[in-house]
Amino acid sequence: MARFGILIAALTVVLSACAPTSSTDGGNGAVYRIRNSDEAKVQFRALDSVNALRKASGAQRLTLDPNLTAAAATHSRDMSVQNRPWHFGSDGSSPLDRVERAGYQGQLVGENISETYENEVETISAWMQKPDTRNVVLAKDARKMGFSWFQEPNGKIWWTMVTGS
């Protein structure tokens, strides 16, 4: 267990070097802003971070899936509208409902969500600190990933990661 903690700490330091330099502090100073032109960079930085963690745990690499990403984007915006981070949509939809609506043909493995001012690497690092969300990141049967967000004008970001087989 100590080895796993050391691994996570080392990966966090390594992965933080890949993150943008904007700081985040919940609105008390500089806020991490995601420009529309940064969408691909943010998604691939998240994918690279997740794959580095998966490699360290012996899990297979993931690839980005446009349908899972569409489901993640829809849910991120909907969480903002509801003003609460939870796995159910304002229409009562579940993660399974959303990936099916988005046209994903595989099986849903899991969904991670977050309401934060932190960047994508810090958010993934936070997910690695809790067993349930860590299990979604490292799920052995996952092969695909969707990753998206919605950023409010005040800088708050609603993150969603969806994995599928």
Side-chain angles (χ1 to χ4, degrees):
M1 191 61 155
R3 187 179 121 176
F4 184 73
I6 292 169
L7 173 68
I8 294 299
L11 283 171
T12 299
V13 169
V14 169
L15 294 175
S16 66
C18 300
T21 57
S22 301
S23 65
T24 61
D25 64 7
N28 296 325
V31 175
Y32 178 64
R33 293 281 180 194
I34 305 171
R35 298 181 306 254
N36 289 340
S37 62
D38 291 336
E39 182 175 353
K41 291 177 193 171
V42 170
Q43 287 176 327
F44 283 105
R45 203 168 22 246
L47 180 65
D48 288 346
S49 297
V50 166
N51 281 333
L53 293 164
R54 291 177 63 81
K55 181 178 181 180
S57 74
Q60 189 174 34
R61 293 179 57 82
L62 300 181
T63 58
L64 280 177
D65 182 272
N67 294 332
L68 290 177
T69 295
T74 298
H75 191 55
S76 292
R77 181 176 291 275
D78 191 47
M79 286 189 296
S80 172
V81 169
Q82 296 181 70
N83 196 33
R84 62 178 168 178
W86 75 322
H87 293 283
F88 293 95
S90 56
D91 62 355
S93 63
S94 69
L96 181 59
D97 296 329
R98 289 188 296 276
V99 300
E100 286 177 352
R101 280 187 209 156
Y104 184 65
Q105 298 296 311
Q107 184 175 10
L108 173 71
V109 173
E111 178 183 75
N112 283 341
I113 58 173
S114 180
E115 166 196 18
T116 183
Y117 290 90
E118 296 176 334
N119 67 40
E120 62 280 359
V121 174
E122 292 168 322
T123 300
I124 293 166
S125 179
W127 287 337
M128 291 300 291
Q129 302 306 310
K130 296 184 178 179
D132 290 345
T133 50
R134 181 176 52 242
N135 289 342
V136 172
V137 173
L138 301 178
K140 299 282 187 200
D141 54 340
R143 299 293 178 266
K144 305 283 183 180
M145 180 177 103
F147 188 82
S148 195
W149 61 90
F150 178 77
Q151 187 165 34
E152 296 179 353
N154 68 3
K156 183 190 293 185
I157 307 171
W158 301 86
W159 297 102
T160 305
M161 173 188 171
V162 183
T163 56
S165 61

